[in-house]
Amino acid sequence: MTMFSSFLFVLIAGAYITPECFSMEIIGGRQVRPHSRPFMASIQYDGNHVCGGVLIHPQWVLTAAHCHSRFTNGQTPAVVLGAHSLSKNEPSKQTFGIKKFIPFSRLPSEAKSNDIMLIKLHTAAELNKHVQLLPLRSKNYIRDGAKCQVTGWGSTNPDSLTISDTLQEVTITVISRKRCNSQNFYNHNPVITKDMICAGDVRGQKDSCQGDSGGPLICKGVFHAIVSAGHKCGIAKKPGIYTLLTKKYQAWITSKLAPSHAR
């Protein structure tokens, strides 16, 4: 996993050159059945996957705000839907230009605590069996110890600098905010706020890390949070940190998707 206090990124294939970064990868998981997660989006710059995302409306993808930091002038951002393999020319794939990025907050001081962003596609996706929406629900409470799944194209090896070509998923356990803030875990560095949740594995063998930022945390079929940050990959007592889809964020999303604001 990665230190929450740093924004060091590389812009090729979701790789990193330092453990001090935000992005995520799947550790200790398995390949999902092809196209069984039709809501997954691959956010790419110049054809290279850098972050995951979730299709919540035919023309809108939800992801982590820090994913925008990976885009620099001269690069071409795009969103790919309907993918299982990133390298294969799958007929199910739909590729879209990005019309605009809308982070929850544009203040750098709030980037860590509000790591959530909407992406508007240039055109609406064609919904079919390979491309579908993952609905937002009002419930955002997750009990300590709940089993959840996190999905993404990140590396399957914490020492690897390459992403996974195929979509992976791992089951992890929710850790209470109090415990995650305790001295034995993050010790309030960073502070896990009410808008965040921790999830991982006691032994550190199952985790999300680089390449998975912006992907979904799903518990019993409910979309609860998105991958945000952490410390390195698969480290015991350093679980993944996720942006919880609280009522605050859900209200913001609803307002931005409203016809009067969605131009």
Side-chain angles (χ1 to χ4, degrees):
M1 299 283 290
T2 58
M3 286 300 293
F4 196 76
S5 59
S6 179
F7 285 87
L8 300 177
F9 299 100
V10 286
L11 298 169
I12 54 171
Y16 59 88
I17 56 175
T18 169
E20 307 287 329
C21 61
F22 256 97
S23 292
M24 309 281 124
E25 70 192 25
I26 294 294
I27 303 297
R30 60 178 178 79
Q31 183 178 165
V32 303
R33 180 169 52 84
H35 308 294
S36 60
R37 308 293 185 268
F39 46 79
M40 286 297 298
S42 169
I43 300 168
Q44 303 185 0
Y45 297 144
D46 286 344
N48 296 312
H49 171 88
V50 294
C51 279
V54 180
L55 189 69
I56 60 171
H57 176 281
Q59 204 169 353
W60 292 89
V61 168
L62 187 66
T63 188
H66 75 260
C67 292
H68 193 206
S69 303
R70 305 193 71 169
F71 172 68
T72 59
N73 291 335
Q75 291 186 313
T76 304
V79 169
V80 177
L81 303 174
H84 177 67
S85 165
L86 294 176
S87 65
K88 292 181 180 178
N89 186 23
E90 299 170 328
S92 58
K93 287 182 181 177
Q94 300 180 37
T95 303
F96 301 87
I98 294 174
K99 187 171 184 178
K100 56 184 173 181
F101 297 93
I102 308 178
F104 181 82
S105 174
R106 297 186 184 276
L107 299 176
S109 61
E110 295 186 5
K112 301 171 187 176
S113 59
N114 292 300
D115 192 20
I116 187 169
M117 177 174 68
L118 283 164
I119 294 176
K120 187 174 186 182
L121 309 179
H122 267 298
T123 57
E126 178 185 344
L127 302 183
N128 53 44
K129 65 179 181 179
H130 298 310
V131 176
Q132 296 178 20
L133 308 180
L134 183 61
L136 297 173
R137 303 182 185 180
S138 59
K139 180 180 179 181
N140 55 55
Y141 170 76
I142 320 176
R143 65 173 179 83
D144 183 22
K147 300 296 183 182
C148 305
Q149 288 73 45
V150 60
T151 310
W153 282 278
S155 171
T156 58
N157 185 334
D159 300 318
S160 172
L161 298 183
T162 57
I163 62 171
S164 172
D165 180 62
T166 56
L167 191 60
Q168 305 284 314
E169 187 171 87
V170 66
T171 297
I172 52 179
T173 304
V174 171
I175 297 167
S176 72
R177 191 172 293 110
K178 180 179 180 180
R179 189 181 182 194
C180 204
N181 273 319
S182 71
Q183 186 174 3
N184 289 334
F185 283 74
Y186 280 105
N187 196 23
H188 293 89
N189 183 27
V191 175
I192 309 304
T193 71
K194 61 181 177 60
D195 295 320
M196 302 173 186
I197 196 73
C198 291
D201 179 76
V202 173
R203 296 168 295 178
Q205 297 177 2
K206 297 179 180 181
D207 205 354
S208 59
C209 194
Q210 188 160 0
D212 289 328
S213 293
L217 182 73
I218 298 175
C219 313
K220 293 185 177 180
V222 178
F223 180 21
H224 279 283
I226 59 174
V227 182
S228 178
H231 175 71
K232 297 184 179 179
C233 301
I235 304 296
K237 297 186 179 179
K238 290 294 184 286
I241 301 171
Y242 296 76
T243 301
L244 189 61
L245 297 177
T246 58
K247 291 181 180 179
K248 175 180 78 172
Y249 292 135
Q250 291 191 47
W252 169 74
I253 292 167
T254 299
S255 71
K256 294 302 179 184
L257 268 59
S260 60
H261 293 92
R263 296 177 182 177

